[in-house]
């Protein structure tokens, strides 16, 4: 493969447009760029998470980061199926394995137990935004393809995995989970 990004500063986006992989220039406000930006932001958050993990856990996140690059590539070139059902199966299996080691939840978790788990929760929230954007993009672009449905399914499963992974990190370090207490902030008369 040649040099894909040989020149970073092109100045071609100064007019508020950017190129799709097809070469077509469209407004940077187009939903496809919102989706690609959300995926980029998610990948960056996962990079921060990765810096706080033990070596054995970094591989989980790195695999997901590669999947996210496949998702972005597939959005940029919809005719190329980069994300596979195996990627979805991988994160489903990991989520099940990690979840089996956790106590059942009786209430919603309040993020912020530890820095690592809080950052995983932040990544989860960005993943949910990317999923909503992927759905909106599918509707706007009339993309009802197997590949587009796979992207949405992947992001949905990934957000579940990230929630479980945040809980797993705290559980592994014996950090108690602060749970939502309904009505805690109500003032009494």
């Amino acid at each position: 493969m040649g040099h894909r990004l040989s020149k970073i500063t092109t100045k071609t986006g100064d007019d508020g447009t950017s190129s799709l992989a097809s070469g077509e220039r469209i407004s940077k406000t187009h939903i496809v760029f919102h989706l690609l930006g959300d995926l980029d932001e998610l990948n960056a958050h996962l990079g921060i998470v990765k810096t706080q993990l033990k070596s054995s856990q970094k591989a989980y996140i790195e695999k997901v980061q590669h999947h996210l690059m496949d998702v972005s590539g597939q959005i940029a070139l919809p005719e190329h199926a980069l994300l596979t059902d195996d990627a979805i199966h991988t994160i489903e299996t990991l989520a099940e394995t990690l979840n089996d080691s956790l106590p059942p939840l009786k209430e919603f978790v309040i993020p912020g137990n530890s820095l690592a788990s809080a950052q995983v929760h932040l990544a989860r929230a960005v993943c949910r935004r990317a999923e909503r954007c992927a759905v909106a993009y599918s509707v706007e672009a009339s993309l009802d393809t197997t590949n587009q449905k796979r992207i949405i399914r992947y992001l949905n499963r990934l957000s579940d995995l990230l929630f479980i992974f945040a809980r797993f990190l705290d559980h592994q370090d014996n950090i108690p989970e602060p749970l939502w207490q309904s009505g805690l902030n109500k003032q009494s008369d």
Side-chain angles (χ1 to χ4, degrees), residues 7 14 16 23 25 47 56 61 88 95 97 113-115 120-121 126 128-129 138 147 149 156 159 161 171 173 189:
K7 189 171 183 184
D14 291 351
R25 295 199 66 80
S56 60
I61 298 300
I88 296 169
T97 301
N113 314 345
S114 67
L115 183 58
V120 174
H121 277 295
V126 174
R128 284 286 188 209
R129 180 177 4 115
S138 293
N147 290 338
K149 289 176 183 177
N156 185 270
S159 64
L161 170 62
H171 181 72
D173 290 336
D189 292 328

Side-chain angles (χ1 to χ4, degrees), residues 35 38-39 42 125-135 155:
L35 176 54
D38 287 348
L39 293 168
L42 173 56
V126 174
C127 185
R128 284 286 188 209
R129 180 177 4 115
E131 178 189 1
R132 291 189 302 272
C133 198
V135 171
L155 292 172

Side-chain angles (χ1 to χ4, degrees), residues 6 15 29 31 36 43 50-51 62 76 80 83 101 104 107 109 119 129 163 166 177-178 180:
S6 57
D15 64 353
T29 63
I31 193 166
L36 291 170
N43 212 335
K50 192 169 60 174
T51 67
E62 231 167 70
H80 291 85
L83 186 70
S101 69
E107 206 47 82
V109 173
Q119 288 185 312
R129 180 177 4 115
F163 177 79
E177 290 181 303
W180 174 49

Side-chain angles (χ1 to χ4, degrees), residues 78-97:
E79 62 278 3
H80 291 85
L82 300 172
L83 186 70
T84 65
D85 286 330
D86 286 343
I88 296 169
H89 179 71
T90 296
I91 61 172
E92 285 174 338
T93 301
L94 180 56
E96 287 174 22
T97 301

Side-chain angles (χ1 to χ4, degrees), residues 100-187:
D100 286 346
S101 69
L102 299 172
L105 268 178
K106 297 181 178 166
E107 206 47 82
F108 291 104
V109 173
I110 303 292
N113 314 345
S114 67
L115 183 58
S117 72
Q119 288 185 312
V120 174
H121 277 295
L122 182 58
R124 175 190 52 79
V126 174
C127 185
R128 284 286 188 209
R129 180 177 4 115
E131 178 189 1
R132 291 189 302 272
C133 198
V135 171
Y137 175 58
S138 293
V139 171
E140 185 176 304
S142 299
L143 296 174
D144 188 26
T145 65
T146 301
N147 290 338
Q148 191 64 21
K149 289 176 183 177
R150 187 178 293 126
I151 288 171
I152 293 167
R153 199 166 73 242
Y154 178 83
L155 292 172
N156 185 270
R157 298 300 189 288
L158 178 56
S159 64
D160 293 341
L161 170 62
L162 292 172
F163 177 79
I164 293 165
F165 192 57
R167 290 189 68 216
F168 173 79
L169 289 175
D170 284 340
H171 181 72
Q172 179 180 328
D173 290 336
N174 294 315
I175 298 172
E177 290 181 303
L179 301 176
W180 174 49
Q181 298 175 32
S182 177
L184 181 66
N185 293 323
K186 288 183 181 176
Q187 292 183 354

Side-chain angles (χ1 to χ4, degrees), residues 27-82:
S27 172
K28 290 182 180 186
T29 63
H30 191 280
I31 193 166
V32 72
F33 293 124
H34 285 278
L35 176 54
L36 291 170
D38 287 348
L39 293 168
D40 187 34
E41 183 181 348
L42 173 56
N43 212 335
H45 280 294
L46 291 175
I48 293 170
V49 167
K50 192 169 60 174
T51 67
Q52 298 177 51
L53 299 179
K54 298 171 185 162
S55 299
S56 60
Q57 298 166 333
K58 288 182 180 189
Y60 302 146
I61 298 300
E62 231 167 70
K63 186 173 282 271
V64 168
Q65 287 182 297
H66 283 277
H67 289 164
L68 288 172
M69 294 301 287
D70 288 343
V71 169
S72 295
Q74 192 166 307
I75 289 165
L77 293 166
E79 62 278 3
H80 291 85
L82 300 172

